[in-house]
């Protein structure tokens, strides 16, 4: 059962969101806040009192401390709650950069909110408890494409960006590889190199080549650093153990 906080400066929208959340059998408790400052205060108090908070449904555009700034502060908590953005504007890319589990467009439709609650439940559940259905929003010439995480073969660091490689294309996402590794922990991805994160599901072979360990991922041969060799081997054994 989920314990969540809903934050929106528009009281009617906040009341409707809280009402819909309370109708969902997967939601145990709903708190509300009408601005970012009040929400931050409530969360700090909950931490001090030892209360559990699983998720925050967060409006993006609010006066004062807006949703994006509040999300960055939440990311610094020792055990941050998962985020679901709520906005009248498309914020898919920003939501992914801030490691949100979902984003909802206003006005919020009950069936779409139910899907967000499902994703939140999956995010706070033990690894492997639910099928991997996460998608990654990427911007392509003014449109947003959603790439299934399970289709990503590997990811490469490119400065402040990560290039996601699927079997037939590559996509650039503004996010660090370290943040992506944290987000996909427990989803079958393993760091093979300081600049590479590999989906173990797409590894067809591990072998020695000219004195170094390499992985065969589709048609690509990717090096494994000495530092990460043991971790990679253990991950592959866990992945394919019957």
């Amino acid at each position: 059962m989920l314990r969540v906080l809903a934050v929106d400066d528009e009281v009617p929208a906040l009341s409707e969101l809280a009402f819909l959340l309370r109708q969902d059998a997967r939601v145990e408790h709903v708190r509300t806040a009408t601005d970012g400052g009040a929400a931050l205060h409530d969360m700090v108090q909950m931490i001090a009192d030892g209360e559990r908070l699983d998720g925050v449904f967060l409006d993006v555009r609010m006066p004062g401390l807006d949703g994006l700034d509040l999300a960055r502060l939440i990311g610094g908590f020792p055990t941050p709650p998962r985020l679901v953005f709520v906005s009248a504007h498309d914020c898919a890319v920003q939501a992914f950069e801030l490691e949100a589990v979902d984003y909802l467009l206003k006005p919020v439709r009950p069936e779409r909110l139910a899907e967000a609650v499902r994703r939140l439940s999956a995010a706070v559940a033990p690894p492997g408890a639910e099928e991997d259905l996460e998608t990654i929003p990427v911007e392509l010439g003014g449109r947003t494409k959603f790439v299934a995480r399970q289709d990503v073969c590997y990811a490469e660091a490119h400065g402040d960006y990560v290039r996601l490689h699927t079997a037939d294309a590559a996509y650039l996402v503004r996010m660090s590889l370290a943040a992506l590794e944290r987000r996909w922990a427990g989803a079958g991805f393993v760091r093979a190199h300081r600049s590479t994160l590999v989906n173990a599901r797409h590894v067809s072979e591990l072998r020695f080549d000219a004195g170094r360990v390499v992985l065969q991922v589709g048609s690509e041969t990717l090096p494994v650093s000495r530092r990460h060799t043991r971790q990679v081997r253990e991950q592959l054994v866990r992945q394919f153990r019957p």
Side-chain angles (χ1 to χ4, degrees):
M1 298 284 282
L2 298 171
R3 299 178 62 85
V4 302
L5 172 66
V7 188
D8 197 323
D9 65 305
E10 299 177 355
V11 175
L14 178 61
S15 298
E16 176 68 11
L17 177 60
F19 172 79
L20 292 174
L21 285 168
R22 291 181 178 120
Q23 303 311 301
D24 196 306
R26 295 165 293 186
V27 179
E28 174 185 4
H29 181 69
V30 181
R31 295 181 64 150
T32 61
T34 55
D35 62 72
L40 184 60
H41 176 272
D42 286 353
M43 283 184 277
V44 171
Q45 188 61 51
M46 291 177 73
I47 291 173
D49 294 342
E51 293 186 46
R52 191 183 89 247
L53 180 62
D54 299 306
V56 181
F57 288 78
L58 185 57
D59 185 26
V60 173
R61 296 192 178 181
M62 296 184 291
L65 185 65
D66 70 14
L68 297 178
D69 289 335
L70 179 57
R72 295 184 182 98
L73 291 173
I74 292 172
F77 287 9
T79 307
R82 304 309 296 262
L83 302 174
V84 176
F85 284 116
V86 184
S87 177
H89 309 276
D90 189 339
C91 65
V93 173
Q94 295 98 319
F96 183 73
E97 290 173 358
L98 291 168
E99 304 185 45
V101 298
D102 203 355
Y103 83 99
L104 301 170
L105 286 175
K106 293 181 178 180
V108 176
R109 294 180 289 113
E111 62 273 19
R112 186 62 185 83
L113 179 61
E115 171 61 15
V117 171
R118 187 201 65 76
R119 294 186 182 190
L120 177 60
S121 298
V124 301
E130 187 155 330
E131 184 182 358
D132 184 0
L133 298 176
E134 180 173 335
T135 58
I136 304 97
V138 295
E139 287 190 345
L140 295 171
R143 60 190 178 93
T144 302
K145 178 181 176 63
F146 294 89
V147 179
R149 176 172 64 182
Q150 61 189 8
D151 292 339
V152 176
C153 300
Y154 66 98
E156 283 184 297
H158 282 265
D160 294 333
Y161 291 80
V162 171
R163 190 177 298 278
L164 306 175
H165 294 263
T166 66
D168 53 8
Y171 307 94
L172 205 59
V173 176
R174 186 175 178 82
M175 189 180 206
S176 71
L177 194 66
L180 191 67
E181 182 179 18
R182 289 194 302 272
R183 182 183 178 95
W184 288 352
F189 285 77
V190 60
R191 183 73 77 98
H193 192 274
R194 62 186 177 87
S195 61
T196 313
L197 187 67
V198 176
N199 187 347
R201 298 177 182 177
H202 292 273
V203 175
S204 60
E205 187 177 52
L206 181 150
R207 66 178 186 273
F208 284 92
D209 186 359
R212 63 176 184 172
V213 177
V214 298
L215 299 175
Q216 192 66 39
V217 182
S219 61
E220 297 292 326
T221 302
L222 305 177
V224 179
S225 68
R226 290 183 179 179
R227 175 184 175 186
H228 294 98
T229 296
R230 180 175 178 179
Q231 179 186 358
V232 168
R233 291 178 64 90
E234 290 177 350
Q235 174 66 41
L236 292 176
V237 169
R238 286 196 301 270
Q239 183 75 24
F240 297 108
R241 180 177 293 159

